[in-house]
Amino acid sequence: MGLANKPVALVTGAAAGIGRATALAYAKAGCHLAISDVQADKLSAVAQEIAALGVEVLSDVHDVADESAVRQFHQRVGDKWGRLDYACNNAGIEGKQAETHEMDMETYDRVMTINVRGLFVCMQEQIKLMLPHGQGAIVNLASIAGLVGFPSMAPYCASKGAVVQITRSVAVEYAERNIRVNAICPGVIKTDMVDRVTKQDPETEAAYAAFHPMNRMGTVAEVADTIVFMSLPQSGFITGQALAVDGGMVAR
Ligand SMILES: NC(=O)c1ccc[n+]([C@@H]2O[C@H](COP(=O)([O-])OP(=O)(O)OC[C@H]3O[C@@H](n4cnc5c(N)ncnc54)[C@H](O)[C@@H]3O)[C@@H](O)[C@H]2O)c1
């Protein structure tokens, strides 16, 4: 994939999983990278991997729920490069699984604060950096859990449904100003998040794989490559979409 004149890409939650793979995919496509995460050591390792690819990298350790830290991070991006071309709002948590009548409200609040409010603040700052240049592409990590329901995950499903609707609303709002906004809705992708849920039990993993008509989990590379495509000019007429990357799960 060719990207001329080294655009600037930003990825939240870039220390692991889909975020790490996406940051590396943007770097391989020739972008400078701004990355953030709560895990300092892992983020620093990813920053080194990115720098080894010959692009500039700015990394910042903060929680996306920390509004002022998020705004300061984006300010640093503006100060360093004076622009932002692509942003992938990936940081998110699954929260505890419990039946709705037993779900604790701390889980509900934390999931909504990180997955929805945090993402919203990030988008506000990204749009401010994109508007002066009259272009930009934002890709938000929603989930198939934002398209269909899953038991014992109501707060997570609600948060990802909100990401889909924020994506559509903001896409329509800024379409004429050439800022595209899309959501990616992965199926089950083999990451730390999924390992925490399956406990890496082979029977549970097989059951998760069987959710998908392709009868396997997805890979972080399959999601990352889709995110980079949804950022590039090649997807220039696509905005406001919630694209399932799910081996056919929501098609059946
Ligand atoms: N893995 C899947 O099957 C799957 C499916 C659908 C959607 N998603 C979504 O994709 C995104 C990434 O998932 P993943 O599987 O790579 O997760 P992961 O837990 O493996 O990695 C998430 C990364 O985000 C960071 N992070 C978490 N909370 C943060 C916060 N408050 N502030 C900053 N960084 C934070 C973590 O430290 C970690 O590095 C999430 O939004 C998730 O909901 C994942």
Side-chain angles (χ1 to χ4, degrees), residues 4-81:
N5 303 328
K6 292 219 192 308
V8 177
L10 180 154
V11 182
T12 67
I18 294 168
R20 173 180 170 275
T22 301
L24 289 168
Y26 277 130
K28 283 178 190 150
C31 298
H32 298 311
L33 256 301
I35 54 173
S36 68
D37 205 288
V38 282
Q39 301 192 72
D41 291 351
K42 285 189 175 178
L43 189 68
S44 163
V46 174
Q48 284 175 26
E49 286 183 87
I50 291 170
L53 293 167
V55 295
E56 295 169 7
V57 56
L58 182 162
S59 67
D60 198 288
V61 178
H62 65 263
D63 186 327
V64 292
D66 181 342
E67 181 179 338
S68 70
V70 167
R71 295 198 194 282
Q72 279 168 31
F73 170 52
H74 287 80
Q75 183 71 51
R76 287 182 67 198
V77 174
D79 291 346
K80 184 171 174 67
W81 289 296

Side-chain angles (χ1 to χ4, degrees), residues 18 140-150 153 156-161 163-164 183-189 194 208 211-213 242-252:
I18 294 168
N140 293 325
L141 261 295
S143 169
I144 36 125
L147 302 175
V148 297
F150 288 90
M153 294 178 67
Y156 183 75
C157 292
S159 76
K160 295 303 186 179
V163 170
V164 169
I184 300 295
C185 300
V188 183
I189 311 298
V194 167
Y208 274 57
F211 288 161
H212 313 83
L243 177 63
V245 181
D246 68 343
M249 191 195 294
V250 297
R252 77 169 150 206

Side-chain angles (χ1 to χ4, degrees), residues 103-118:
M103 182 67 74
D104 61 277
M105 293 313 291
E106 290 72 27
T107 294
Y108 182 94
D109 289 342
R110 187 87 184 127
V111 166
M112 296 303 269
T113 301
I114 292 171
N115 294 5
V116 185
R117 193 178 195 278

